Amino acid sequence: AAAAVVVKTEPVAGGVKRPRETSPGAANVPVKVQKTEAKPEAATRPIEVALRAILRGGSKVTTKDVTKQLRKKGLLNTDADKDELKSTIGRVAKIMKEGNASYVVLK
């Protein structure tokens, strides 16, 4: 009678299964490692979240449109907010000038 070989697997964080180290050839088995990136603190800034939402709208967005929409949401009340908007645009977007208008696009 032929004996059936059963390979047991253990659950690993991220849902990746791999054979036990005691099984033959386990040392040569490549294991897929799942990357986990920590979200940068910038994603929690309300001005940056709102700016990304505005720029994903699809149409051409001018700098005037951005400031107008951020003011409506109450995110551009102080000079510190304006400085944060400038630094955020410099970090995640760029301003392109076409004629008399300045358009903001994601990098």
Side-chain angles (χ1 to χ4, degrees), residues 68-90:
K68 188 175 181 181
Q69 290 184 29
L70 290 177
R71 282 188 197 284
K72 280 185 181 179
K73 294 180 180 182
L75 297 173
L76 271 184
N77 296 328
T78 64
D79 288 337
D81 293 339
K82 293 175 190 174
D83 292 338
E84 185 179 344
L85 175 62
K86 286 179 187 177
S87 67
T88 302
I89 287 177

mmCIF file of all heavy atoms in Angstrom, residues 68-90:
data_model
loop_
_atom_site.group_PDB
_atom_site.id
_atom_site.type_symbol
_atom_site.label_atom_id
_atom_site.label_comp_id
_atom_site.label_asym_id
_atom_site.label_seq_id
_atom_site.Cartn_x
_atom_site.Cartn_y
_atom_site.Cartn_z
ATOM 1 N N LYS A 68 -10.901 78.892 -3.831
ATOM 2 C CA LYS A 68 -12.333 79.118 -3.619
ATOM 3 C C LYS A 68 -12.977 77.923 -2.925
ATOM 4 O O LYS A 68 -13.740 78.081 -1.964
ATOM 5 C CB LYS A 68 -13.002 79.373 -4.978
ATOM 6 C CG LYS A 68 -14.434 79.814 -4.900
ATOM 7 C CD LYS A 68 -14.942 80.156 -6.291
ATOM 8 C CE LYS A 68 -16.375 80.622 -6.263
ATOM 9 N NZ LYS A 68 -16.880 80.941 -7.605
ATOM 10 N N GLN A 69 -12.654 76.711 -3.384
ATOM 11 C CA GLN A 69 -13.255 75.520 -2.796
ATOM 12 C C GLN A 69 -12.742 75.260 -1.379
ATOM 13 O O GLN A 69 -13.491 74.815 -0.513
ATOM 14 C CB GLN A 69 -13.005 74.315 -3.693
ATOM 15 C CG GLN A 69 -13.803 74.401 -4.985
ATOM 16 C CD GLN A 69 -13.655 73.172 -5.855
ATOM 17 O OE1 GLN A 69 -13.436 72.080 -5.350
ATOM 18 N NE2 GLN A 69 -13.776 73.360 -7.163
ATOM 19 N N LEU A 70 -11.463 75.551 -1.140
ATOM 20 C CA LEU A 70 -10.921 75.365 0.210
ATOM 21 C C LEU A 70 -11.517 76.386 1.182
ATOM 22 O O LEU A 70 -11.737 76.083 2.349
ATOM 23 C CB LEU A 70 -9.398 75.446 0.202
ATOM 24 C CG LEU A 70 -8.674 74.278 -0.472
ATOM 25 C CD1 LEU A 70 -7.176 74.502 -0.482
ATOM 26 C CD2 LEU A 70 -9.013 72.962 0.195
ATOM 27 N N ARG A 71 -11.768 77.597 0.707
ATOM 28 C CA ARG A 71 -12.421 78.598 1.564
ATOM 29 C C ARG A 71 -13.839 78.174 1.917
ATOM 30 O O ARG A 71 -14.303 78.357 3.037
ATOM 31 C CB ARG A 71 -12.450 79.963 0.877
ATOM 32 C CG ARG A 71 -11.147 80.695 0.923
ATOM 33 C CD ARG A 71 -11.309 82.108 0.392
ATOM 34 N NE ARG A 71 -10.027 82.695 0.050
ATOM 35 C CZ ARG A 71 -9.152 83.155 0.943
ATOM 36 N NH1 ARG A 71 -9.422 83.084 2.213
ATOM 37 N NH2 ARG A 71 -8.004 83.669 0.560
ATOM 38 N N LYS A 72 -14.563 77.604 0.943
ATOM 39 C CA LYS A 72 -15.922 77.118 1.205
ATOM 40 C C LYS A 72 -15.937 76.042 2.285
ATOM 41 O O LYS A 72 -16.860 75.964 3.079
ATOM 42 C CB LYS A 72 -16.543 76.536 -0.076
ATOM 43 C CG LYS A 72 -17.093 77.552 -1.026
ATOM 44 C CD LYS A 72 -17.777 76.845 -2.183
ATOM 45 C CE LYS A 72 -18.324 77.817 -3.180
ATOM 46 N NZ LYS A 72 -18.971 77.121 -4.322
ATOM 47 N N LYS A 73 -14.886 75.212 2.291
ATOM 48 C CA LYS A 73 -14.800 74.144 3.289
ATOM 49 C C LYS A 73 -14.241 74.637 4.615
ATOM 50 O O LYS A 73 -14.141 73.870 5.563
ATOM 51 C CB LYS A 73 -13.919 73.016 2.754
ATOM 52 C CG LYS A 73 -14.519 72.310 1.562
ATOM 53 C CD LYS A 73 -13.622 71.209 1.062
ATOM 54 C CE LYS A 73 -14.263 70.529 -0.141
ATOM 55 N NZ LYS A 73 -13.458 69.426 -0.635
ATOM 56 N N GLY A 74 -13.843 75.904 4.666
ATOM 57 C CA GLY A 74 -13.327 76.471 5.910
ATOM 58 C C GLY A 74 -11.895 76.082 6.214
ATOM 59 O O GLY A 74 -11.472 76.101 7.367
ATOM 60 N N LEU A 75 -11.126 75.745 5.183
ATOM 61 C CA LEU A 75 -9.751 75.295 5.393
ATOM 62 C C LEU A 75 -8.708 76.376 5.134
ATOM 63 O O LEU A 75 -7.530 76.158 5.349
ATOM 64 C CB LEU A 75 -9.457 74.078 4.505
ATOM 65 C CG LEU A 75 -10.298 72.837 4.788
ATOM 66 C CD1 LEU A 75 -10.045 71.771 3.757
ATOM 67 C CD2 LEU A 75 -10.002 72.312 6.182
ATOM 68 N N LEU A 76 -9.141 77.547 4.658
ATOM 69 C CA LEU A 76 -8.188 78.627 4.354
ATOM 70 C C LEU A 76 -8.578 79.885 5.111
ATOM 71 O O LEU A 76 -8.907 80.905 4.508
ATOM 72 C CB LEU A 76 -8.175 78.928 2.854
ATOM 73 C CG LEU A 76 -7.211 78.150 1.984
ATOM 74 C CD1 LEU A 76 -7.262 78.653 0.561
ATOM 75 C CD2 LEU A 76 -5.812 78.205 2.508
ATOM 76 N N ASN A 77 -8.525 79.846 6.419
ATOM 77 C CA ASN A 77 -8.940 81.003 7.207
ATOM 78 C C ASN A 77 -7.777 81.859 7.680
ATOM 79 O O ASN A 77 -7.919 83.065 7.815
ATOM 80 C CB ASN A 77 -9.750 80.536 8.421
ATOM 81 C CG ASN A 77 -11.041 79.861 7.990
ATOM 82 O OD1 ASN A 77 -11.618 80.212 6.969
ATOM 83 N ND2 ASN A 77 -11.471 78.889 8.753
ATOM 84 N N THR A 78 -6.632 81.258 7.927
ATOM 85 C CA THR A 78 -5.501 82.004 8.494
ATOM 86 C C THR A 78 -4.325 82.015 7.529
ATOM 87 O O THR A 78 -4.312 81.292 6.527
ATOM 88 C CB THR A 78 -5.044 81.354 9.820
ATOM 89 O OG1 THR A 78 -4.558 80.044 9.540
ATOM 90 C CG2 THR A 78 -6.190 81.262 10.816
ATOM 91 N N ASP A 79 -3.326 82.827 7.878
ATOM 92 C CA ASP A 79 -2.106 82.872 7.068
ATOM 93 C C ASP A 79 -1.356 81.542 7.148
ATOM 94 O O ASP A 79 -0.711 81.129 6.192
ATOM 95 C CB ASP A 79 -1.196 84.010 7.533
ATOM 96 C CG ASP A 79 -1.764 85.383 7.151
ATOM 97 O OD1 ASP A 79 -2.572 85.440 6.203
ATOM 98 O OD2 ASP A 79 -1.393 86.380 7.804
ATOM 99 N N ALA A 80 -1.441 80.872 8.292
ATOM 100 C CA ALA A 80 -0.794 79.568 8.435
ATOM 101 C C ALA A 80 -1.416 78.554 7.479
ATOM 102 O O ALA A 80 -0.710 77.712 6.897
ATOM 103 C CB ALA A 80 -0.911 79.074 9.870
ATOM 104 N N ASP A 81 -2.737 78.641 7.291
ATOM 105 C CA ASP A 81 -3.414 77.756 6.341
ATOM 106 C C ASP A 81 -2.939 78.029 4.916
ATOM 107 O O ASP A 81 -2.747 77.103 4.128
ATOM 108 C CB ASP A 81 -4.933 77.935 6.415
ATOM 109 C CG ASP A 81 -5.523 77.465 7.733
ATOM 110 O OD1 ASP A 81 -4.874 76.652 8.422
ATOM 111 O OD2 ASP A 81 -6.634 77.926 8.074
ATOM 112 N N LYS A 82 -2.754 79.294 4.586
ATOM 113 C CA LYS A 82 -2.273 79.653 3.248
ATOM 114 C C LYS A 82 -0.859 79.127 3.029
ATOM 115 O O LYS A 82 -0.538 78.609 1.952
ATOM 116 C CB LYS A 82 -2.306 81.167 3.062
ATOM 117 C CG LYS A 82 -3.706 81.739 3.034
ATOM 118 C CD LYS A 82 -3.681 83.248 2.973
ATOM 119 C CE LYS A 82 -5.068 83.823 3.189
ATOM 120 N NZ LYS A 82 -5.051 85.281 3.278
ATOM 121 N N ASP A 83 -0.016 79.239 4.050
ATOM 122 C CA ASP A 83 1.350 78.723 3.944
ATOM 123 C C ASP A 83 1.343 77.206 3.787
ATOM 124 O O ASP A 83 2.129 76.643 3.023
ATOM 125 C CB ASP A 83 2.177 79.124 5.168
ATOM 126 C CG ASP A 83 2.431 80.626 5.217
ATOM 127 O OD1 ASP A 83 2.359 81.279 4.154
ATOM 128 O OD2 ASP A 83 2.712 81.131 6.325
ATOM 129 N N GLU A 84 0.449 76.541 4.508
ATOM 130 C CA GLU A 84 0.347 75.085 4.394
ATOM 131 C C GLU A 84 -0.111 74.687 3.004
ATOM 132 O O GLU A 84 0.370 73.714 2.426
ATOM 133 C CB GLU A 84 -0.606 74.531 5.445
ATOM 134 C CG GLU A 84 -0.655 73.016 5.448
ATOM 135 C CD GLU A 84 -1.571 72.435 6.501
ATOM 136 O OE1 GLU A 84 -1.953 73.153 7.447
ATOM 137 O OE2 GLU A 84 -1.899 71.250 6.371
ATOM 138 N N LEU A 85 -1.041 75.457 2.430
ATOM 139 C CA LEU A 85 -1.505 75.177 1.066
ATOM 140 C C LEU A 85 -0.354 75.322 0.075
ATOM 141 O O LEU A 85 -0.170 74.476 -0.799
ATOM 142 C CB LEU A 85 -2.660 76.099 0.679
ATOM 143 C CG LEU A 85 -3.139 75.976 -0.776
ATOM 144 C CD1 LEU A 85 -3.671 74.578 -1.062
ATOM 145 C CD2 LEU A 85 -4.199 77.018 -1.074
ATOM 146 N N LYS A 86 0.445 76.373 0.227
ATOM 147 C CA LYS A 86 1.585 76.573 -0.672
ATOM 148 C C LYS A 86 2.566 75.415 -0.586
ATOM 149 O O LYS A 86 3.038 74.904 -1.605
ATOM 150 C CB LYS A 86 2.302 77.880 -0.333
ATOM 151 C CG LYS A 86 1.568 79.116 -0.768
ATOM 152 C CD LYS A 86 2.335 80.358 -0.379
ATOM 153 C CE LYS A 86 1.527 81.614 -0.647
ATOM 154 N NZ LYS A 86 2.243 82.826 -0.206
ATOM 155 N N SER A 87 2.878 74.983 0.636
ATOM 156 C CA SER A 87 3.824 73.878 0.791
ATOM 157 C C SER A 87 3.232 72.571 0.279
ATOM 158 O O SER A 87 3.942 71.744 -0.300
ATOM 159 C CB SER A 87 4.266 73.741 2.244
ATOM 160 O OG SER A 87 3.193 73.335 3.049
ATOM 161 N N THR A 88 1.932 72.394 0.475
ATOM 162 C CA THR A 88 1.267 71.174 0.001
ATOM 163 C C THR A 88 1.262 71.124 -1.518
ATOM 164 O O THR A 88 1.545 70.082 -2.107
ATOM 165 C CB THR A 88 -0.177 71.099 0.542
ATOM 166 O OG1 THR A 88 -0.133 71.128 1.963
ATOM 167 C CG2 THR A 88 -0.870 69.830 0.088
ATOM 168 N N ILE A 89 0.955 72.237 -2.161
ATOM 169 C CA ILE A 89 0.969 72.278 -3.631
ATOM 170 C C ILE A 89 2.378 72.004 -4.128
ATOM 171 O O ILE A 89 2.578 71.267 -5.095
ATOM 172 C CB ILE A 89 0.430 73.624 -4.161
ATOM 173 C CG1 ILE A 89 -1.083 73.692 -3.965
ATOM 174 C CG2 ILE A 89 0.760 73.790 -5.646
ATOM 175 C CD1 ILE A 89 -1.706 75.009 -4.393
ATOM 176 N N GLY A 90 3.369 72.571 -3.461
ATOM 177 C CA GLY A 90 4.750 72.324 -3.862
ATOM 178 C C GLY A 90 5.156 70.873 -3.722
ATOM 179 O O GLY A 90 5.988 70.367 -4.472
#
